[in-house]
Amino acid sequence: MPDPMRPPVSRAALRTAVVWEVLQDALDRRVKATGRESLDVLDTGGGSGNFAVPLARLGHRVTVVDPSPNALFALERRAAEAGVAERVRGVQGDAHGLFDVVERGGYDAVLCHGVLEYVDDPAEGVRNAVAALRPEGVLSLLAAGLGGAVLARALAGHFKEARQALGDPDGRWGEGDPVPRRFTAEQLTALAEGAGLRVGAIHGVRVFADLVPGVLVDTEPGALDALLQLESAAAELPAFHSVATQLHVLANL
């Protein structure tokens, strides 16, 4: 039977494969530690369920908090199509007012993916995520990486924008930049530790996937699998954290 956390290799799968692998391992360890087969998972900013639905397919109970009604509607439809509607709950809200819609200390794991880039106060966002955890709970933190944006702008020939991002306090390359804020691995680690967490692992995500020409990956036999293996091998190496498109921090309370 195929692993629901590891979909068939595709260009889209490259973007999340490293995070899936790390997250599933962490949840498996929590299952063994708690003695419960099903965990309570909170997915802040979880949108239409890219992570929530596969987690529910593994048997976990997932609450998704997202400010977009359209995303929550798509989540409901997606969960129903996957046959896990009874294990997925969507509520409208955001990281700032998290405890207006969910309980404190009620979750074995919290996902905070693609959230810190957009909140007014990233430190508060992390503190709220931590406050939702049960003792020994797991936080999965995924955010845009500064170095990946600088490298991407430079390789596209936008050297002034690359230099702007490198020196900007928020890592933005200009007024047209759609991402409000980017982070270094050191900044994300400091946010996690400042909220009382023990950082277990840091991974670079999409180190190569966003830079390799699509035509090469799509036409060369075995290239996609080889690229996935390369991403996995480079993800934990600190040297590649500084050029990753995204950074993933896994930490425990």
Side-chain angles (χ1 to χ4, degrees), residues 24-45:
Q24 183 174 12
D25 180 66
L27 294 182
D28 285 347
R29 283 186 274 113
R30 287 306 301 151
V31 165
K32 292 177 181 178
T34 61
R36 293 183 282 111
E37 294 185 0
S38 297
L39 302 177
D40 293 303
V41 180
L42 175 64
D43 188 353
T44 63

Side-chain angles (χ1 to χ4, degrees), residues 145-178:
L146 169 62
V150 173
L151 186 61
R153 300 316 288 175
L155 291 178
H158 303 300
F159 306 121
K160 290 184 178 180
E161 292 180 350
R163 179 65 183 86
Q164 169 69 21
L166 192 60
D168 187 83
D170 293 322
R172 289 171 54 80
W173 48 256
E175 292 184 3
D177 192 336

Side-chain angles (χ1 to χ4, degrees), residues 38-190:
S38 297
L39 302 177
D40 293 303
V41 180
L42 175 64
D43 188 353
T44 63
S48 60
N50 288 340
F51 283 84
V53 170
L55 287 173
R57 290 178 63 194
L58 287 179
H60 302 304
R61 296 174 294 273
V62 187
T63 299
V64 175
V65 176
D66 196 279
S68 169
N70 290 337
L72 294 174
F73 177 77
L75 168 70
E76 183 179 355
R77 184 177 64 244
R78 188 173 186 175
E81 291 173 351
V84 295
E86 74 282 0
R87 291 196 293 273
V88 176
R89 181 173 72 101
V91 292
Q92 189 172 1
D94 56 29
H96 175 69
L98 187 61
F99 300 113
D100 293 336
V101 293
V102 301
E103 64 177 308
R104 293 178 181 270
Y107 299 91
D108 302 291
V110 174
L111 279 58
C112 187
H113 295 174
V115 173
L116 298 187
E117 297 94 321
Y118 300 96
V119 296
D120 292 334
D121 185 346
E124 180 190 35
V126 176
R127 287 195 299 268
N128 283 350
V130 172
L133 285 171
R134 290 171 177 156
E136 305 300 322
V138 176
L139 176 66
S140 175
L141 188 63
L142 182 67
L146 169 62
V150 173
L151 186 61
R153 300 316 288 175
L155 291 178
H158 303 300
F159 306 121
K160 290 184 178 180
E161 292 180 350
R163 179 65 183 86
Q164 169 69 21
L166 192 60
D168 187 83
D170 293 322
R172 289 171 54 80
W173 48 256
E175 292 184 3
D177 192 336
V179 179
R181 188 183 296 107
R182 295 183 177 88
F183 301 87
T184 64
E186 292 76 16
Q187 288 172 330
L188 283 183
T189 299

